[in-house]
Amino acid sequence: MIIYKATKDRFLKDSRENIIGEAVKADFEAHLGKAHESEVKAWENSLRYMAKVVDTPEISGDTTICVEYRLPNSGHRIDFLISGRNEKGESNVVIVELKQWSKAEVVEERKVVNTFVGGRNRDVTHPSYQALSYALTLENYVEAVRENSIHLFPCAYLHNYVYFSGDKISNSSIFPEIDESPLFFSDGEEKLRTFIKEHVTLPDTNDTMSLIDNGKLRPSVSLQDVLGNILKGKKEFILLDDQKVYYENIMAYVRRSTIGSGNRNVFIIQGGPGTGKSVLAINLLASSIREGHMAAYVSKNSAPRNVYEHILTNKDRFRKTKIHELFLGSGSFVSTKENSYDALFVDEAHRLNEKSGIFHNIGENQIKEIILSSRISVFLID
């Protein structure tokens, strides 16, 4: 979902007139609801730095800037994107993860960083990993990226962070994603500008971000291959007796589903704890993706999603990056377009809230939103 979108020239104008925070806020609230004052201040601060980076005649004023772009099949948002063409005429997008951190500590054994976020110190993913995961999500799930040969180049900009020699946050042996998603610090304005100019200098004549935003959700061949092999040898996911019958019946409907046509179907599967409902959901997810259907596993609580991601990826960070957006919270569908998915498999559906958000004040009804978002909805309840 596009929130703030403007040409580079318009973005610079908004920045110079000190209205960029309010401009993003207005667009944000038009699409996603009220923005917190802390978010507005963050936009004003970080986007001031990005305005300096792109303020060069070597980058066309008709390139496109997007701020707070919401990934099409999740609640995650990309801080900053600039799209256009390179000297060869190729359509490119540079993704920038922005951080206001002034320092961070590397927790090497868990491959995370610890820093002050949201009023306290906490463990968070490395910003280069974040940016790379956003790029891979678009490549793996948005058909338009692949069909239009749109190239994505992620990076991270820690504009307040004074780097010192030996700081492990830039150690690519700990964080290999840095090789694909470079990291820039407070002294990196010119380096980031050079990185952007390598990929985007000419006007965005193809309106690249609109192509992405309006593109169909369809798993890539590489994602299908990952899901095709992911359950092999995992005895805990073998289907037994009635599970196999339910699986075959539901997959028959999934195979007949085509986004944008046909009837909507809702299934409710009831069984007590330990009867294999989650095993059924994971098998349905894997088979749906393997056969080229857009699907996701949904639960209210993050615990089951995290458990299955962990089991299925065997701690492989890049495999986890590929499949992460297949595991969604039940509040992810407030603004999802109708029939975006072929199938959604909702585990522990008896735990769903009526509304989403921290204060349960967003959206209309989670069950309704899930049903409208998908051609096939399977609710698994105790």
Side-chain angles (χ1 to χ4, degrees), residues 90-109:
E90 298 168 323
S91 293
N92 293 337
V93 180
V94 174
I95 293 170
V96 186
E97 176 65 21
L98 295 168
K99 297 296 184 189
Q100 299 188 74
W101 305 348
S102 57
K103 60 181 180 180
E105 179 183 351
V106 171
V107 187
E108 189 169 346
E109 64 273 18

Side-chain angles (χ1 to χ4, degrees), residues 49-299:
Y49 287 92
M50 285 309 304
K52 292 179 180 179
V53 169
V54 301
D55 190 6
T56 170
E58 295 175 274
I59 299 175
S60 170
D62 287 325
T63 54
T64 298
I65 302 288
C66 284
V67 177
E68 292 295 316
Y69 178 76
R70 183 173 177 175
L71 290 170
N73 56 336
S74 81
H76 297 292
R77 302 196 302 268
I78 300 175
D79 293 331
F80 184 95
L81 306 97
I82 179 168
S83 60
R85 294 175 295 119
N86 62 11
E87 296 298 329
K88 296 179 181 179
E90 298 168 323
S91 293
N92 293 337
V93 180
V94 174
I95 293 170
V96 186
E97 176 65 21
L98 295 168
K99 297 296 184 189
Q100 299 188 74
W101 305 348
S102 57
K103 60 181 180 180
E105 179 183 351
V106 171
V107 187
E108 189 169 346
E109 64 273 18
R110 287 187 277 118
K111 299 186 183 299
V112 298
V113 293
N114 185 278
T115 191
F116 190 80
V117 178
R120 64 181 177 87
N121 279 74
R122 63 181 72 195
D123 291 346
V124 295
T125 54
H126 192 282
S128 290
Y129 179 88
Q130 280 186 267
L132 179 59
S133 70
Y134 298 154
L136 290 175
T137 294
L138 290 172
E139 290 174 357
N140 285 323
Y141 299 106
V142 181
E143 195 171 51
V145 172
R146 305 185 297 272
E147 287 186 340
N148 294 280
S149 299
I150 298 170
H151 307 287
L152 308 174
F153 300 92
C155 66
Y157 187 24
L158 284 59
H159 49 75
N160 293 334
Y161 197 109
V162 179
Y163 173 79
F164 63 89
S165 179
D167 192 335
K168 290 184 178 180
I169 197 170
S170 66
N171 189 325
S172 61
S173 63
I174 302 172
F175 303 108
E177 52 269 23
I178 293 174
D179 292 335
E180 294 185 66
S181 180
L183 191 60
F184 303 97
F185 298 100
S186 60
D187 62 351
E189 178 182 314
E190 184 57 42
K191 292 177 182 177
L192 176 54
R193 182 181 297 120
T194 299
F195 178 77
I196 292 174
K197 289 191 301 183
E198 288 174 358
H199 307 297
V200 175
T201 53
L202 300 178
D204 189 14
T205 52
N206 295 327
D207 196 5
T208 306
M209 289 308 302
S210 290
L211 287 175
I212 293 174
D213 198 50
N214 295 320
K216 290 182 179 179
L217 298 184
R218 190 71 69 197
S220 67
V221 172
S222 64
L223 183 63
Q224 292 174 44
D225 290 342
V226 168
L227 267 293
N229 296 314
I230 210 163
L231 296 185
K232 288 183 178 179
K234 295 187 180 296
K235 296 180 180 178
E236 61 267 44
F237 289 102
I238 296 296
L239 293 169
L240 303 173
D241 301 328
D242 288 348
Q243 295 173 358
K244 177 67 169 173
V245 175
Y246 293 139
Y247 165 85
E248 294 295 353
N249 285 337
I250 292 171
M251 282 305 302
Y253 279 87
V254 173
R255 292 181 183 113
R256 289 199 296 267
S257 72
T258 302
I259 291 177
S261 64
N263 296 321
R264 183 174 282 112
N265 294 276
V266 177
F267 297 85
I268 300 175
I269 297 178
Q270 184 176 22
T275 54
K277 299 187 299 297
S278 296
V279 170
L280 174 62
I282 295 300
N283 274 276
L284 288 167
L285 171 67
S287 294
S288 297
I289 296 296
R290 185 174 64 241
E291 296 182 18
H293 303 284
M294 193 60 217
Y297 171 99
V298 181
S299 67

Side-chain angles (χ1 to χ4, degrees), residues 288-331:
S288 297
I289 296 296
R290 185 174 64 241
E291 296 182 18
H293 303 284
M294 193 60 217
Y297 171 99
V298 181
S299 67
K300 173 191 171 183
N301 298 322
S302 62
R305 302 196 301 271
N306 294 337
V307 166
Y308 291 123
E309 281 189 62
H310 179 78
I311 292 173
L312 296 174
T313 57
N314 293 319
K315 298 181 181 180
D316 183 327
R317 284 164 63 80
F318 288 98
R319 177 179 277 189
K320 182 176 180 179
T321 301
K322 279 183 175 291
I323 74 167
H324 180 70
E325 299 302 333
L326 297 178
F327 294 84
L328 304 177
S330 57

